[in-house]
Protein backbone atom coordinates (compact mmCIF):
# COMPACT_ATOMS: atom_id res chain seq x y z
CA UNK A 1 0.00 0.00 0.00
CA UNK A 2 1.36 3.42 -0.92
CA UNK A 3 1.79 6.16 1.65
CA UNK A 4 -0.89 8.18 -0.18
CA UNK A 5 -3.35 5.31 0.14
CA UNK A 6 -2.51 4.88 3.83
CA UNK A 7 -3.06 8.57 4.60
CA UNK A 8 -6.25 8.65 2.52
CA UNK A 9 -7.53 5.57 4.35
CA UNK A 10 -6.90 7.20 7.70
CA UNK A 11 -8.70 10.37 6.57
CA UNK A 12 -11.70 8.42 5.28
CA UNK A 13 -11.93 6.44 8.53
CA UNK A 14 -11.71 9.63 10.62
CA UNK A 15 -14.39 11.38 8.56
CA UNK A 16 -16.73 8.39 8.75
CA UNK A 17 -16.21 8.07 12.53
CA UNK A 18 -16.99 11.75 13.00
CA UNK A 19 -19.89 11.87 10.54
CA UNK A 20 -18.14 14.57 8.50
CA UNK A 21 -18.57 15.00 4.75
CA UNK A 22 -15.67 16.13 2.56
CA UNK A 23 -15.27 17.84 -0.81
CA UNK A 24 -12.20 18.73 -2.87
CA UNK A 25 -11.09 21.46 -5.25
CA UNK A 26 -7.98 20.58 -7.20
CA UNK A 27 -5.87 22.51 -9.63
CA UNK A 28 -2.33 21.14 -9.91
CA UNK A 29 -3.32 17.70 -8.56
CA UNK A 30 -6.18 17.45 -11.09
CA UNK A 31 -8.23 14.91 -9.12
CA UNK A 32 -5.46 12.92 -7.42
CA UNK A 33 -6.68 13.78 -3.91
CA UNK A 34 -10.25 12.79 -4.76
CA UNK A 35 -9.04 9.59 -6.42
CA UNK A 36 -6.99 8.61 -3.37
CA UNK A 37 -10.01 9.13 -1.12
CA UNK A 38 -12.31 7.24 -3.50
CA UNK A 39 -9.86 4.31 -3.65
CA UNK A 40 -10.63 3.73 0.03
CA UNK A 41 -13.50 1.41 1.01
CA UNK A 42 -16.12 3.46 2.84
CA UNK A 43 -15.38 6.67 0.97
CA UNK A 44 -18.98 6.90 -0.23
CA UNK A 45 -20.01 7.65 3.37
CA UNK A 46 -17.91 10.82 3.50
CA UNK A 47 -16.85 12.01 0.03
CA UNK A 48 -19.41 14.42 -1.45
CA UNK A 49 -17.53 15.30 -4.64
CA UNK A 50 -14.81 17.39 -6.11
CA UNK A 51 -14.03 20.03 -8.69
CA UNK A 52 -10.98 19.90 -10.94
CA UNK A 53 -10.39 23.59 -11.51
CA UNK A 54 -7.31 23.56 -13.71
CA UNK A 55 -8.35 26.79 -15.41
CA UNK A 56 -9.08 30.13 -13.77
CA UNK A 57 -12.49 30.26 -15.45
CA UNK A 58 -13.52 27.14 -13.50
CA UNK A 59 -12.08 28.61 -10.31
CA UNK A 60 -14.17 31.73 -10.94
CA UNK A 61 -17.39 30.27 -12.39
CA UNK A 62 -17.74 27.02 -10.40
CA UNK A 63 -15.83 27.69 -7.16
CA UNK A 64 -16.68 31.42 -7.02
CA UNK A 65 -13.09 32.58 -6.54
CA UNK A 66 -13.32 36.30 -7.30
CA UNK A 67 -11.91 37.48 -10.61
CA UNK A 68 -10.41 40.45 -8.76
CA UNK A 69 -8.41 38.09 -6.53
CA UNK A 70 -7.25 36.03 -9.50
CA UNK A 71 -6.24 39.19 -11.37
CA UNK A 72 -4.38 40.54 -8.33
CA UNK A 73 -2.43 37.46 -7.22
CA UNK A 74 -2.77 34.81 -9.94
CA UNK A 75 -3.97 31.28 -9.40
CA UNK A 76 -1.06 30.13 -7.21
CA UNK A 77 -1.74 31.90 -3.92
CA UNK A 78 -2.87 31.11 -0.40
CA UNK A 79 -5.98 33.28 -0.61
CA UNK A 80 -6.96 31.51 -3.83
CA UNK A 81 -6.45 28.09 -2.19
CA UNK A 82 -8.66 29.11 0.74
CA UNK A 83 -11.33 30.47 -1.62
CA UNK A 84 -11.21 27.29 -3.72
CA UNK A 85 -11.78 25.16 -0.61
CA UNK A 86 -14.70 27.32 0.48
CA UNK A 87 -16.15 27.15 -3.03
CA UNK A 88 -15.94 23.34 -3.06
CA UNK A 89 -17.47 23.09 0.40
CA UNK A 90 -20.38 25.21 -0.74
CA UNK A 91 -20.82 23.63 -4.19
CA UNK A 92 -20.79 20.09 -2.82
CA UNK A 93 -22.66 20.76 0.42
CA UNK A 94 -19.82 19.31 2.49
CA UNK A 95 -18.76 19.94 6.07
CA UNK A 96 -15.12 20.30 5.11
CA UNK A 97 -13.18 20.84 1.91
CA UNK A 98 -9.54 20.73 0.90
CA UNK A 99 -7.97 22.36 -2.15
CA UNK A 100 -4.68 22.35 -4.05
CA UNK A 101 -3.08 24.97 -6.27
CA UNK A 102 0.53 25.32 -7.29
CA UNK A 103 3.27 25.03 -9.87
CA UNK A 104 4.36 21.52 -10.86
CA UNK A 105 6.62 22.68 -13.70
CA UNK A 106 8.53 22.57 -15.84
CA UNK A 107 8.15 26.38 -15.97
CA UNK A 108 7.18 28.95 -13.37
CA UNK A 109 3.58 30.20 -13.39
CA UNK A 110 2.23 33.63 -12.44
CA UNK A 111 5.73 34.55 -11.30
CA UNK A 112 5.82 31.67 -8.82
CA UNK A 113 8.70 29.18 -8.96
CA UNK A 114 8.27 25.48 -9.68
CA UNK A 115 7.40 23.64 -6.47
CA UNK A 116 5.29 26.43 -4.96
CA UNK A 117 2.10 24.85 -3.60
CA UNK A 118 -0.80 26.03 -1.45
CA UNK A 119 -3.25 23.74 0.30
CA UNK A 120 -6.58 25.26 1.31
CA UNK A 121 -8.94 23.98 3.99
CA UNK A 122 -12.49 25.19 4.61
CA UNK A 123 -14.90 24.33 7.43
CA UNK A 124 -17.97 26.03 8.83
CA UNK A 125 -15.56 28.08 10.98
CA UNK A 126 -13.86 29.57 7.91
CA UNK A 127 -11.06 28.86 5.46
CA UNK A 128 -7.29 28.98 5.60
CA UNK A 129 -4.29 27.96 3.54
CA UNK A 130 -0.85 26.47 4.01
CA UNK A 131 2.22 27.21 1.86
CA UNK A 132 4.67 24.57 0.69
CA UNK A 133 7.81 24.50 -1.40
CA UNK A 134 8.55 21.14 -2.98
CA UNK A 135 11.38 19.91 -5.17
CA UNK A 136 11.32 17.19 -7.79
CA UNK A 137 9.86 16.30 -11.13
CA UNK A 138 6.38 17.40 -12.16
CA UNK A 139 4.98 14.02 -11.06
CA UNK A 140 6.85 14.16 -7.74
CA UNK A 141 5.62 17.67 -6.94
CA UNK A 142 2.04 16.66 -7.72
CA UNK A 143 2.34 13.56 -5.49
CA UNK A 144 3.85 15.64 -2.66
CA UNK A 145 1.00 18.15 -3.00
CA UNK A 146 -1.54 15.32 -2.86
CA UNK A 147 0.12 13.96 0.29
CA UNK A 148 0.14 17.43 1.89
CA UNK A 149 -3.56 17.88 1.10
CA UNK A 150 -4.44 14.53 2.64
CA UNK A 151 -2.39 15.38 5.74
CA UNK A 152 -4.14 18.76 6.07
CA UNK A 153 -7.47 16.96 5.68
CA UNK A 154 -6.51 14.63 8.55
CA UNK A 155 -5.58 17.62 10.74
CA UNK A 156 -8.85 19.40 9.95
CA UNK A 157 -10.83 16.27 10.75
CA UNK A 158 -9.04 15.90 14.08
CA UNK A 159 -9.90 19.49 14.99
CA UNK A 160 -13.59 19.06 14.17
CA UNK A 161 -14.05 16.39 16.81
CA UNK A 162 -16.97 14.07 17.18
CA UNK A 163 -20.54 15.02 16.42
CA UNK A 164 -23.17 14.71 19.14
Amino acid sequence: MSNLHRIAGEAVAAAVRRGVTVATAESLTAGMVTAMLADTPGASAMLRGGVVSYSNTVKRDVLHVSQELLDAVGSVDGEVAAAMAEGARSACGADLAVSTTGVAGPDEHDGKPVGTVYIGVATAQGSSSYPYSFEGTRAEIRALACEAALERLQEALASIGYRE
Side-chain angles (χ1 to χ4, degrees), residues 67-143:
Q67 186 65 54
E68 294 77 18
L69 178 61
L70 291 167
D71 290 344
V73 299
S75 60
V76 181
D77 182 81
E79 284 186 70
V80 171
M84 288 171 60
E86 184 53 44
R89 194 176 87 79
S90 176
C92 296
D95 299 312
L96 189 158
V98 64
S99 68
T100 64
T101 187
V103 186
D107 301 314
E108 68 175 31
H109 181 73
D110 288 340
K112 305 285 182 12
V114 172
T116 302
V117 171
Y118 293 92
I119 305 299
V121 175
T123 67
Q125 287 70 49
S127 58
S128 56
S129 66
Y130 304 89
Y132 293 86
S133 181
F134 297 126
E135 293 184 6
T137 65
R138 180 177 175 82
E140 289 166 342
I141 290 168
R142 292 178 73 238

Side-chain angles (χ1 to χ4, degrees), residues 1-97:
M1 174 186 293
S2 77
N3 193 46
L4 288 176
H5 282 96
R6 180 188 58 75
I7 297 168
E10 291 169 0
V12 167
V16 170
R17 269 195 316 274
R18 289 167 171 79
V20 174
T21 57
V22 174
T24 62
E26 300 183 67
S27 188
L28 90 149
T29 50
M32 289 174 67
V33 175
T34 311
M36 285 295 114
L37 293 170
D39 274 353
T40 305
S44 60
M46 52 73 74
L47 183 61
R48 294 297 300 252
V51 176
V52 174
S53 56
Y54 220 66
S55 80
N56 281 354
T57 55
V58 176
K59 288 176 183 73
R60 182 192 67 217
D61 297 344
V62 178
L63 297 175
H64 304 292
V65 176
S66 80
Q67 186 65 54
E68 294 77 18
L69 178 61
L70 291 167
D71 290 344
V73 299
S75 60
V76 181
D77 182 81
E79 284 186 70
V80 171
M84 288 171 60
E86 184 53 44
R89 194 176 87 79
S90 176
C92 296
D95 299 312
L96 189 158

